């Protein structure tokens, strides 16, 4: 199925969590642990891009189609913005 919403929801929440942890902790160990966890749990569902540049690499490698790149990037950007606004909300 081309637009499997589970992939995009995983990308959204993974990017949100990653952005939030980076902003809150400013700790490389916390970043690495978060990246490992979201890749472990989200990887089988979405491929674990969590970054528009990596999604473009998936496109170049033909792991995702031309039509899938747009929702991937949109959900990742929205996830990063939500992570930023969540950080601002608690700061």
């Amino acid at each position: 199925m081309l637009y499997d919403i589970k992939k995009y929801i995983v990308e959204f929440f993974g990017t949100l969590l990653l952005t939030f942890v980076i902003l809150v902790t400013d700790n490389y160990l916390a970043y690495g642990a978060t990246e490992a966890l979201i890749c472990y749990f989200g990887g089988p569902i979405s491929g674990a891009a969590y970054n528009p540049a990596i999604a473009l690499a998936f496109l170049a490698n033909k792991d995702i189609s031309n039509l899938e790149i747009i929702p991937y990037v949109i959900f990742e950007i929205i996830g990063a913005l939500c992570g930023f606004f969540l950080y601002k909300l608690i700061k």
Side-chain angles (χ1 to χ4, degrees), residues 19-68:
T19 303
F20 182 74
V21 167
I22 289 169
L23 293 172
V24 168
T25 64
D26 195 28
N27 181 333
Y28 294 114
L29 183 60
Y31 167 76
T34 304
E35 182 76 36
L37 284 173
I38 62 176
C39 287
Y40 179 76
F41 289 110
I45 299 169
S46 71
Y50 307 121
N51 181 334
I54 295 173
L56 287 172
F58 283 176
L59 176 67
N61 198 34
K62 300 202 182 341
D63 291 332
I64 60 176
S65 71
N66 291 339
L67 295 176
E68 284 182 303

Side-chain angles (χ1 to χ4, degrees), residues 6 8 13 30 36 51 56 60-61 66-67 70 74-75 79 82 91:
K6 288 187 294 188
Y8 309 125
F13 281 111
N51 181 334
L56 287 172
N61 198 34
N66 291 339
L67 295 176
I70 295 167
I74 289 171
F75 275 81
C82 288
K91 183 179 176 193

